[in-house]
Amino acid sequence: RAIFRIVYCIMMLGCIPFLLYLPYIYGDVLSISFGMVMFWAVSAYEHYEKKRYIALAACVAGIAVLARKNTWIILIGVGIYAVLVCLKKKKGQYLLAGFAILLTAALTVKAVDVMYEYRSGYPSDIGIPSILWIAMGLQETDGMAGVYNRYQQTTFAEHDFQQEPAAQEGKEYIRERLREFRENPAMARDFFKRKLEDQWIEPLFSSLKATESFDTDGEPLSSGITSLYYGNIHETVWKLANYYQSIVYLAGLVLGIALCGRWWQKKEIPTALWLPLIGIVGGFLFSIIWEAQSRYVFPYYVFLILFVPMGLYETGRAISRLPKHRRKTTEQNQTQEESLREIA
């Protein structure tokens, strides 16, 4: 619907964290933007079945995964989406299309690794094992759940930068930590509750924290920048982002309930909604096991904004069905009819 597109554009213009991240060259904006283009291209291919859309999706997928490796979460979602559409439409071409996108992204990363190895003379796979990041995400540090504490660097150095023994220690720690969670479910609930709140509730998603280092060659900051990061403007921006976040989560919740209702009534859910939804769910699961950093979950928050117009529409429909609202509307209609009769 055209109104949905208009509301979406307005919502994105008001997404303060995204605007604050624009000058921050760390890959977030690139991966989010190209990820959104990939969503559109994959949906367009499913609708029109034109090969050019798969070519576009494959190209932007490669760029997005180079910008941020967590793009693999939504790329896995592409694979799941391709399987679901294939099962629904009984056409194997969707599996081939999904495979083409994943293969292009993998080959793009591999090409960069090969180029790095050729130019540097060092292998590209000698870094810190990913399992150590997961182990760190299960730790309590200064009363905070799963925050960065240099555990992975320290453990890697203690094992003389050998991947196998370092990874083994991380696996043993994870097993021990999961055993503690099983023995004390209340502690586990509190730990993951605090971890998810730290990541998903901060309305600016660390955008000011991540961009607050300035290279000014000793010159003082302008009054506007100082106020944005440390003064009155900061408080205003934080409040606006907080209200905005509340609208996004409320609309997402209402739409989720509406979609569950459609599924329960065995009504069809448009396939174009599947891929972003799979990506958001994957991002939520990723935030549970990885380092607690709100910036890492920000892409999935932006993907959720795609559903805000539909969520607001469903909210309006729900309000219109309330008995009190219907009774008031009926009374207004009766009053208008009586007025028309008197005029006649």
Side-chain angles (χ1 to χ4, degrees), residues 45 49 86 91-98:
Y45 174 75
E49 296 186 351
C86 178
K91 292 183 179 180
Q93 68 190 60
Y94 295 106
L95 281 180
L96 293 176

Side-chain angles (χ1 to χ4, degrees), residues 27-64:
D28 296 272
V29 173
L30 279 176
S31 63
I32 291 170
S33 300
F34 283 110
M36 299 284 276
V37 174
M38 185 181 67
F39 287 158
W40 173 82
V42 171
S43 298
Y45 174 75
E46 193 255 319
H47 186 73
Y48 298 109
E49 296 186 351
K50 301 292 184 182
K51 295 179 181 178
R52 60 176 176 266
Y53 294 117
I54 287 302
L56 174 61
C59 291
V60 297
I63 299 173

Side-chain angles (χ1 to χ4, degrees), residues 101-172:
I101 295 172
L102 295 177
L103 181 63
T104 302
L107 291 178
T108 302
V109 174
K110 183 62 178 178
V112 172
D113 287 343
V114 170
M115 182 177 66
Y116 165 80
E117 292 176 352
Y118 174 76
R119 293 189 174 187
S120 68
Y122 292 96
S124 63
D125 59 349
I126 59 174
I128 299 174
S130 297
I131 195 71
L132 295 180
W133 291 87
I134 297 176
M136 184 188 68
L138 297 175
Q139 295 177 1
E140 188 96 18
T141 304
D142 297 330
M144 302 183 70
V147 297
Y148 179 76
N149 59 10
R150 293 190 61 84
Y151 166 80
Q152 64 277 34
Q153 289 98 326
T154 303
T155 303
F156 197 38
E158 288 176 350
H159 290 279
D160 197 24
F161 305 101
Q162 299 297 312
Q163 288 185 323
E164 287 297 327
Q168 186 60 35
E169 179 173 329
K171 293 176 183 177
E172 292 176 358

